[in-house]
Amino acid sequence: SASAVRAPQHFHLSVSIYAFTAALKLAAELLYIHAQNKLRMDVRARAEGAAVFSKTLAMFLGLAFAPPAWALFAFAAGQAAYALATFAVFWNFCGWSTRYVLRRVTLGNRGHKDAYFDQELLHLSGAMTARSVVMHFLTEGDKLLISRPCSLADQGSYAIASNYGSLVARVVFRPIEETSRIFFSKFLSSSPSSLSSENDQEALETAVELLSTLLLFTYFLLLLFGPPYLPLASALVLPPRYQQTSVPRILHAFRFYLPAMAYNGVLEAFLASVCTPADLRTQSRMIAATSATLI
């Protein structure tokens, strides 16, 4: 129930820290995009490494040396340390010359007038934002659905199984997805409507061939290593106290979900590189309609 969720001590303080962390991560997102656009993977690696280390250290100190009543605060402090480290590394890379200000730009052959934003990019950003809102609710929909009928113990079991189940996707398939996103964005830099020249068509055919290869690689990787090793991996990774709960059953169900997660990441990277704002709106409507039928 809601009262049980708010029962832990320092709940409101922890929620406030989580809100601050979310705002700081949004601020770091601009610097992250700048680094990605320059293909500075080393900066991203340093940022993620420093963030994970800071988060782990803050959580360990809070859980090991603070009273038990401060456990929830320790998790919030870990998230805050993660956001601060991420922002600090990206800010150090971009330099103090980075300014969060609006500047008028000349749009050139798009009307020779001044504006604060490029209208084409503004429309694309609006479509991407609307799609992100839809995708957020669909991604977190399972947690929203089980929060009402399930007890806190069942929600905890589901969270543990979900974290362990998605570990494969984060470790193995996320690098493939991120690399594909960068490659397709750079390789298919022309807008879909302007892919008319011979070089553009050749680039598109090469990208489609690479996409097919990645999908086949993902399929055979899951087929060869998924079914035989998943029971063994769950027995080795899960602590003994979780073996008698519903966690193993939920974790075994993730073997049917992992292929969808893997395919979705690569296909979404390709779609984001070639689609138009109208395509994004159509995809958002289709995803929402499909999810509504499943619910």
Side-chain angles (χ1 to χ4, degrees):
S1 63
S3 58
V5 173
R6 292 192 295 266
Q9 298 185 29
H10 313 293
F11 172 80
H12 295 287
L13 176 61
S14 301
V15 171
S16 300
I17 295 177
Y18 270 102
F20 166 76
T21 300
L24 194 58
K25 286 182 178 180
L26 287 175
E29 189 74 14
L30 301 175
L31 308 178
Y32 163 79
I33 294 173
H34 179 68
Q36 287 287 95
N37 190 51
K38 291 183 175 294
L39 300 180
R40 293 297 303 271
M41 301 303 150
D42 58 322
V43 178
R44 177 182 174 182
R46 289 200 304 269
E48 293 184 349
V52 171
F53 175 78
S54 301
K55 175 183 177 181
T56 304
L57 180 62
M59 291 178 60
F60 171 76
L61 293 176
L63 294 174
F65 299 102
W70 290 86
L72 184 59
F73 176 82
F75 284 98
Q79 293 294 334
Y82 184 97
L84 286 170
T86 303
F87 183 84
V89 173
F90 281 122
W91 180 267
N92 182 64
F93 164 70
C94 295
W96 292 96
S97 61
T98 303
R99 292 175 174 84
Y100 293 94
V101 296
L102 296 177
R103 283 189 256 177
R104 285 186 176 272
V105 294
T106 302
L107 298 183
N109 57 4
R110 298 177 186 172
H112 297 283
K113 63 180 181 179
D114 292 339
Y116 284 113
F117 300 101
D118 185 305
Q119 294 300 311
E120 182 178 348
L121 291 179
L122 183 62
H123 292 158
L124 180 61
S125 299
M128 293 290 291
T129 300
R131 178 179 175 275
S132 298
V133 172
V134 175
M135 291 297 296
H136 174 75
F137 282 103
L138 297 180
T139 304
E140 303 296 326
D142 54 347
K143 301 179 180 64
L144 297 176
L145 288 175
I146 68 171
S147 63
R148 293 295 181 181
C150 299
S151 63
L152 292 179
D154 291 335
Q155 293 180 44
S157 298
Y158 180 81
I160 293 172
S162 178
N163 289 333
Y164 277 110
S166 60
L167 188 62
V168 177
R170 293 196 298 268
V171 173
V172 179
F173 298 117
R174 185 179 177 184
I176 298 177
E177 175 187 348
E178 295 293 339
T179 305
S180 302
R181 189 182 301 275
I182 296 172
F183 173 80
F184 290 139
S185 298
K186 290 291 184 180
F187 202 63
L188 302 174
S189 56
S190 301
S191 62
S193 59
S194 63
L195 291 174
S196 55
S197 66
E198 183 178 348
N199 292 335
D200 291 336
Q201 291 296 329
E202 185 176 332
L204 182 60
E205 292 176 0
T206 303
V208 171
E209 183 179 353
L210 177 62
L211 176 64
S212 302
T213 303
L214 287 174
L215 293 178
L216 284 175
F217 170 76
T218 301
Y219 171 76
F220 286 113
L221 187 65
L222 290 171
L223 183 65
L224 292 176
F225 295 99
Y229 292 101
L230 183 60
L232 176 63
S234 61
L236 293 176
V237 172
L238 285 179
R241 63 179 180 276
Y242 293 143
Q243 297 291 343
Q244 305 302 322
T245 64
S246 59
V247 174
R249 295 194 302 271
I250 301 175
L251 193 58
H252 288 174
F254 264 82
R255 58 185 172 183
F256 303 105
Y257 183 43
L258 281 176
M261 294 176 64
Y263 288 151
N264 178 72
V266 178
L267 291 173
E268 186 177 352
F270 180 81
L271 177 65
S273 303
V274 300
C275 66
T276 62
D279 296 330
L280 289 175
R281 289 191 292 269
T282 301
Q283 185 201 24
S284 298
R285 288 194 293 266
M286 292 180 62
I287 294 176
T290 304
S291 301
T293 57
L294 294 177
I295 294 176

